[in-house]
Amino acid sequence: MSIDSAAPVGQRDASDRARRAPLANRLLAWTLRSPVSGVVDSALVLLTVRGRRTGRSISLPVQYAAGHDALWVWPGHPERKTWWRNLRQSQRVMIRLRGRDVNAVARVVDGAREPSEILRGLRAYVSRFPRAATPVVGGAPTDDRLRAVAGRMLLVRIDVAPEVLVATRQATTPPGRRGVAAIRRHPLASYFLLAIATSWAYWIPLALSGGDGSHMLGLIGPAVAGMVVTAIVDGRAGMRDLSARIARWKVALRWYAAAFAPLITGMIGVAVVAVTGGGLPSWERLASFAGLPALSWLFVFVMVLGVNGFGEEIGWRGVAWPRLRSRHTFGGATLLLTMPWAIWHLPTFWLDTGLADLPLAAVAGWIIGLAAGAVVLGWLYERAGSSLLIVALFHASLNMASATAGTAGLPAALTTTAVIAAAVVILRRQPA
């Protein structure tokens, strides 16, 4: 069903129409052109048509469904709209479809003249949006009811290249029950929501009860969410691929050196403190990590690697990063990953073993550090053959170098600064 309510074509120029367009439409149009188009583009397409009288173009977001032979748009209440009148004859149009511009041909299909054609379009549309047809057909959109109203319906048919249509149909109308199909249509958004919900389900009650328990269990939320989404969307093949990336240890030695670089930097900071009169921290202090018993340094490292390293990286780098990179530049993918990653951390600001001790003035620096970590981890993942083991080792080594009692102060600051500097170098070297 059309989302638009554009001004009459040919009566006003494009800027005037833009001013008259509802705020929601302008926001949707901006979203469909933006790096975050994946939030809405499984249901909406940005359609650009040329006015019959003025020759000027007008772009508007419309809801679409992918049928077996075309894309279909249902202009709800067509008597109130005029944009579709430009398509009474077949016209070349431009559509912003799933993150890219696609040339297409569109025309209006009138049920009074082409009842069989309109019926095909209606079937495709109601299979994607069954509730949209209910008030029009007078109940559940059964085939008999669709046939009864087909003669007075009007749809817009959009023809695209066959390979584009097949890919769109597979992405927007996946098989499965309602919840499963929704995850298959929106795997990235589903991952973000599930990762946040899983971790917050543990962290929020902990915060409400005083915030003095360990936050560590909540760190496995991204891994759980990543595995659930992968199993639903990609099935056994996807799970085998994810498992292979988790255990991928046959990489060049330089990537192991890169994975342990934060730990080495932190130890350099410890050495600097020692030679300047601060003394060496004890192994007990070096193993003092919030939320874990300080049984030994090796025990704490292994726990951080498993819970903090793999617990986060299986999801953020293993599931979210490849999907973001399939549609965005390196910098854009980093930005889009940093936002939900930061939101995911929010409840830990009320947890004693989390970020409760972080001063308010330091929050901006924490966000910068998080973004820098996203840059370095994304780069390391891509360069080290998609090895989640390497990025999990880097994550664990960074935490051990910056979040223990023994590395507080100069060692932590030196490690964080090194990561930020590395992120700047990586971003400068990325192609535009």
Side-chain angles (χ1 to χ4, degrees):
M1 193 167 290
S2 175
I3 304 299
D4 70 285
S5 57
V9 176
Q11 293 184 11
R12 300 182 182 276
D13 61 21
S15 61
D16 191 28
R17 284 195 299 272
R19 286 192 295 270
R20 288 170 60 87
L23 177 61
N25 278 2
R26 281 182 280 170
L27 179 60
L28 286 171
W30 175 88
T31 303
L32 287 164
R33 293 189 181 102
S34 75
V36 295
S37 60
V39 175
V40 296
D41 65 9
S42 68
L44 298 177
V45 65
L46 190 64
L47 173 64
T48 301
V49 300
R50 190 174 295 277
R52 294 169 297 158
R53 299 176 183 175
T54 65
R56 296 190 179 97
S57 295
I58 178 172
S59 297
L60 62 160
V62 292
Q63 196 174 65
Y64 74 99
H68 289 285
D69 55 352
L71 304 180
W72 294 91
V73 173
W74 183 350
H77 302 289
E79 71 282 357
R80 303 177 189 174
K81 302 182 174 78
T82 57
W83 64 266
W84 58 269
R85 301 178 191 276
N86 296 291
L87 303 174
R88 287 190 180 277
Q89 302 295 326
S90 293
Q91 181 188 130
R92 291 189 178 277
V93 297
M94 178 71 72
I95 56 175
R96 184 73 178 175
L97 180 65
R98 297 188 62 77
R100 62 191 184 100
D101 292 325
V102 175
N103 291 310
V105 175
R107 70 178 181 90
V108 169
V109 177
D110 189 335
R113 294 193 296 268
E114 300 178 84
S116 60
E117 183 77 355
I118 208 83
L119 193 57
R120 280 200 297 273
L122 282 173
R123 286 168 177 159
Y125 203 92
V126 300
S127 68
R128 178 70 175 88
F129 306 106
R131 292 182 181 177
T134 300
V136 177
V137 303
T142 62
D143 207 54
D144 288 342
R145 283 175 173 161
L146 292 179
R147 288 179 185 276
V149 301
R152 62 176 187 269
M153 298 301 298
L154 180 150
L155 298 179
V156 174
R157 175 187 172 119
I158 303 177
D159 291 295
V160 295
E163 62 274 13
V164 174
L165 179 62
V166 170
T168 304
R169 190 168 63 245
Q170 290 175 344
T172 59
T173 55
R177 295 179 178 239
R178 185 171 299 176
V180 170
I183 292 174
R184 287 173 176 160
R185 282 196 301 270
H186 308 282
L188 192 58
S190 298
Y191 163 72
F192 288 143
L193 290 174
L194 188 56
I196 289 171
T198 304
S199 295
W200 284 20
Y202 175 74
W203 284 337
I204 290 179
L206 188 63
L208 293 175
S209 65
D212 56 355
S214 174
H215 72 295
M216 293 296 289
L217 187 59
L219 297 176
I220 66 172
V224 172
M227 290 179 179
V228 169
V229 170
T230 299
I232 291 174
V233 176
D234 301 318
R236 292 182 180 178
M239 290 300 292
R240 284 195 298 269
D241 173 69
L242 182 61
S243 299
R245 287 181 285 137
I246 291 171
R248 187 163 295 159
W249 62 273
K250 290 185 178 181
V251 297
L253 288 177
R254 65 179 179 276
W255 300 121
Y256 283 97
F260 286 105
L263 194 56
I264 295 169
T265 305
M267 293 306 102
I268 291 173
V270 169
V272 170
V273 171
V275 299
T276 55
L280 282 171
S282 65
W283 279 106
E284 184 178 350
R285 286 184 60 78
L286 288 173
S288 179
F289 189 92
L292 289 174
L295 299 181
S296 71
W297 187 91
L298 182 60
F299 167 83
V300 171
F301 178 80
V302 170
M303 290 298 294
V304 171
L305 174 63
V307 179
N308 214 168
F310 284 112
E312 290 197 50
E313 296 307 325
I314 288 173
W316 300 118
R317 248 57 57 178
V319 175
W321 181 257
R323 293 186 183 278
L324 286 168
R325 286 290 278 137
S326 69
R327 296 180 63 175
H328 303 289
T329 64
F330 185 94
T334 300
L335 177 61
L336 292 174
L337 182 62
T338 300
M339 291 188 288
W341 198 15
I343 293 170
W344 173 77
H345 282 87
L346 278 179
T348 65
F349 282 87
W350 286 269
L351 301 180
D352 293 343
T353 64
L355 298 169
D357 292 334
L358 188 71
L360 184 61
V363 171
W366 173 80
I367 294 174
I368 292 172
L370 192 71
V375 170
V376 176
L377 284 163
W379 175 85
L380 188 58
Y381 173 81
E382 293 186 359
R383 293 302 184 93
S386 303
S387 171
L388 289 172
L389 171 63
I390 293 298
V391 294
L393 283 170
F394 182 95
H395 198 138
S397 130
L398 175 60
N399 284 354
M400 293 299 291
S402 60
T404 69
T407 55
L410 178 64
L414 183 63
T415 304
T416 302
T417 302
V419 172
I420 294 173
V424 171
V425 172
I426 290 169
L427 287 175
R428 287 175 63 89
R429 292 184 177 180
Q430 292 300 313

